[in-house]
Amino acid sequence: MGLESVGGLAMHVILSKSGPREAASVSCLGRRFRAWASDDSLWAQFCSHDLNLTSPLDPDGNLAPSFKAAYQEWRERFSMYPWPLVVRVKNCWSKIKEWLTVNFPEALPTLRKGASEAEIEDFEKALKIKLPLPTRLLYRFCDGQELPDEGFSGSLTSSLLGIIGGYTLYEHLVNVFLLPLSQVILDTKSIVNQLGFSSRSKYIVVAASATYSAKIFFLNCSSGQLFVGTRNLETDGEMLPCVPDALISSVHDRIGSQQQDAMLLWLEEHGRRLQEGIIKVRQQGKLRSINLFPELPPLCSSAITNGVKVRASAALVPEFSNLQDESEKFLFAYSIRMSLSPDGCVLNGVTFSSCQLYWRHWIIRANDAIVSDVNGEAVIGEYPLLRPGEEEFVYESCTSLPASKGSVEGSFTFVPGRLVDAKGSPFAVEVARFSLQLPDYIY
């Protein structure tokens, strides 16, 4: 029995499971096969599976005559790259943009259109480097972000639109943008030369904070690893790797299908953390930004005591870490969020409509050894008053560790009512242990 007797429905199933290349080959077998292989619903499946497209859009976002035409345009536009890598990079950017659309739409206009092959070639000539293949493709899809109009230390609102995000620590405010190729050239020529790197070093600046607080990321174009500068960056060129070395492979291979450099891995992990809600947009007054303090367990601890809820998590601050200081090698910032339940503060069956913090007690460990036992009034000089239904009171502080792994736990002492008019005896509120740990992926 010949294939022609199988029927259109069965052939559709066979071709959809076989893939686009096989469908194109089958179309050469005859008129009926050509009709089956040209069915646009078949190519709609290929566009959806490979490119996450629900409409027949070409790489420029224009509507193509059909899904088949759209798919062919994508294949032709990126024919110089391994197709599995194209699919992977496309999906990486799609997930980030989908999340931004729903959660942080004000950042979307900062994303630039993709760079052309000619623009990337000019970029490589200007810096005398060869981009790792995955990073090259990342720029083909999106040429970084538009920086604030006021320059690279612009107004506070526009400086908080970095898609990598950041944190606030006392007066230290960080918010990281992905740099466009034009800015990469400028910053690389000025910063890398200033740091005294060898002319043979292949480091380029790919991301940085747009606030006055410095935080700089460097891509090594030879190895494909991404680094972030520490406190000793200017004096000793000290940096931390942002991705496990073991995951990086085939960064300049144009033939295989296993290419992954740190930039692609880093952005994929960032997109995952955004989509899963591990990190979120935080609003402080009228200002919104992506905040790097984790919001979900196990990275974020949570405990409720007498109606008072305390959530806590930490983030490495690489730009303040000092790998040469054996006693204070890694600096971690931690974020504490406290709120009062809608039912109020309940003590021995009695409900109070408010409670106010008076005292804090921290136990800080490096590995399993206690390195600090802290007691003191207030938190960052404040005595937060909690009421039902109000937003969390949030504050950030920091601690240094001699080790790459540790933890913090402790308690807050509250009084029911107010400090000036206590309605009962003070009570301790648990702060569940949260980890301080050098992460696999550093942001």
Side-chain angles (χ1 to χ4, degrees):
M1 183 175 65
L3 276 177
E4 291 189 355
S5 63
V6 170
L9 181 59
M11 280 300 300
H12 182 92
V13 173
I14 293 170
L15 292 174
S16 65
K17 293 183 180 298
S18 299
R21 186 182 298 274
E22 290 73 14
S25 298
V26 165
S27 66
C28 300
L29 298 178
R31 183 179 301 174
R32 183 175 295 182
F33 289 104
R34 188 177 303 112
W36 287 335
S38 298
D39 183 354
D40 213 39
S41 65
L42 177 68
W43 291 94
Q45 290 184 36
F46 296 150
C47 283
S48 175
H49 180 270
D50 283 9
L51 301 166
N52 196 32
L53 293 177
T54 56
S55 301
L57 301 177
D58 67 16
D60 297 320
N62 300 318
L63 197 65
S66 65
F67 279 103
K68 183 179 181 181
Y71 192 91
Q72 289 175 332
E73 178 62 28
W74 278 92
R75 291 301 295 251
E76 290 172 6
R77 184 77 61 90
F78 294 97
S79 60
M80 68 290 293
Y81 297 97
W83 184 245
L85 184 61
V86 176
V87 169
R88 186 172 169 183
V89 171
K90 167 69 168 59
N91 287 336
C92 174
W93 273 119
S94 292
K95 289 177 181 179
I96 291 174
K97 290 178 180 179
E98 287 169 4
W99 184 89
L100 290 172
T101 300
V102 175
N103 299 280
F104 199 32
E106 56 265 50
L108 275 174
T110 71
L111 297 181
R112 295 167 56 91
K113 70 177 184 178
S116 67
E117 279 294 306
E119 288 171 331
I120 292 178
E121 288 173 4
D122 289 342
F123 167 84
E124 291 180 327
K125 290 177 182 176
L127 292 179
K128 299 178 181 179
I129 55 94
K130 183 177 178 62
L131 283 175
L133 212 58
T135 292
R136 188 184 181 101
L137 255 177
L138 285 167
Y139 277 105
R140 283 295 311 273
F141 278 90
C142 177
D143 182 16
Q145 291 184 263
E146 294 285 354
L147 302 178
D149 292 337
E150 299 81 357
F152 208 40
S153 55
S155 72
L156 188 58
T157 302
S158 59
S159 294
L160 296 179
L161 298 178
I163 63 170
I164 303 302
Y167 36 71
T168 303
L169 178 63
Y170 301 114
E171 299 302 316
H172 185 66
L173 171 61
V174 157
N175 193 268
V176 174
F177 280 64
L178 286 181
L179 304 184
L181 293 177
S182 58
Q183 189 69 37
V184 173
I185 293 175
L186 295 175
D187 285 3
T188 297
K189 287 184 175 181
S190 62
I191 295 175
V192 170
N193 291 338
Q194 178 184 339
L195 294 175
F197 288 173
S198 165
S199 59
R200 289 176 295 178
S201 70
K202 300 302 179 182
Y203 289 99
I204 61 173
V205 179
V206 291
S209 178
T211 65
Y212 287 103
S213 301
K215 186 176 185 180
I216 307 173
F217 291 83
F218 301 83
L219 176 68
N220 184 312
C221 293
S222 296
S223 68
Q225 178 60 279
L226 183 70
F227 296 88
V228 62
T230 70
R231 177 180 290 182
N232 300 320
L233 176 65
E234 290 189 14
T235 56
D236 299 315
E238 186 179 83
M239 298 183 287
L240 282 165
C242 297
V243 171
D245 285 327
L247 298 181
I248 299 171
S249 66
S250 307
V251 297
H252 294 292
D253 181 8
R254 287 185 172 270
I255 299 175
S257 60
Q258 304 300 317
Q259 303 88 346
Q260 51 185 27
D261 65 1
M263 278 290 284
L264 177 55
L265 290 163
W266 194 64
L267 285 175
E268 285 179 329
E269 173 64 13
H270 187 55
R272 182 190 73 83
R273 296 187 337 150
L274 290 170
Q275 288 207 324
E276 294 182 6
I278 296 172
I279 56 174
K280 299 180 180 180
V281 170
R282 179 182 292 179
Q283 182 155 348
Q284 295 176 287
K286 295 182 178 180
L287 301 177
R288 283 162 41 91
S289 62
I290 296 173
N291 192 276
L292 294 181
F293 289 108
E295 296 284 349
L296 296 179
L299 298 176
C300 179
S301 74
S302 180
I304 301 175
T305 308
N306 298 333
V308 179
K309 183 177 183 179
V310 179
R311 302 189 305 123
S313 61
L316 177 73
V317 184
E319 66 274 20
F320 280 171
S321 295
N322 182 354
L323 304 186
Q324 300 172 33
D325 188 332
E326 291 302 322
S327 61
E328 297 184 344
K329 184 173 291 189
F330 299 102
L331 186 103
F332 292 92
Y334 54 85
S335 174
I336 309 296
R337 290 84 96 187
M338 57 185 77
S339 59
L340 189 57
S341 73
D343 296 329
C345 173
V346 181
L347 289 171
N348 301 318
V350 180
T351 300
F352 302 91
S353 60
S354 67
C355 60
Q356 191 167 12
L357 183 144
Y358 170 59
W359 195 266
R360 73 186 186 280
H361 177 213
W362 291 130
I363 297 174
I364 302 172
R365 291 181 171 85
N367 293 322
D368 293 322
I370 295 177
V371 294
S372 186
D373 193 326
V374 180
N375 281 279
E377 284 191 28
V379 290
I380 60 170
E382 297 189 46
Y383 300 84
L385 177 68
L386 305 183
R387 298 185 181 90
E390 293 186 347
E391 292 184 358
E392 291 179 315
F393 175 83
V394 181
Y395 82 93
E396 277 82 35
S397 189
C398 63
T399 186
S400 294
L401 285 187
S404 61
K405 183 178 181 181
S407 65
V408 178
E409 62 187 296
S411 63
F412 293 123
T413 298
F414 279 81
V415 298
R418 295 171 174 263
L419 290 177
V420 296
D421 184 23
K423 302 298 184 182
S425 300
F427 62 97
V429 170
E430 178 189 6
V431 181
R433 182 183 293 196
F434 58 97
S435 66
L436 308 176
Q437 186 168 346
L438 185 66
D440 289 337
Y441 290 81
I442 298 177
Y443 292 91

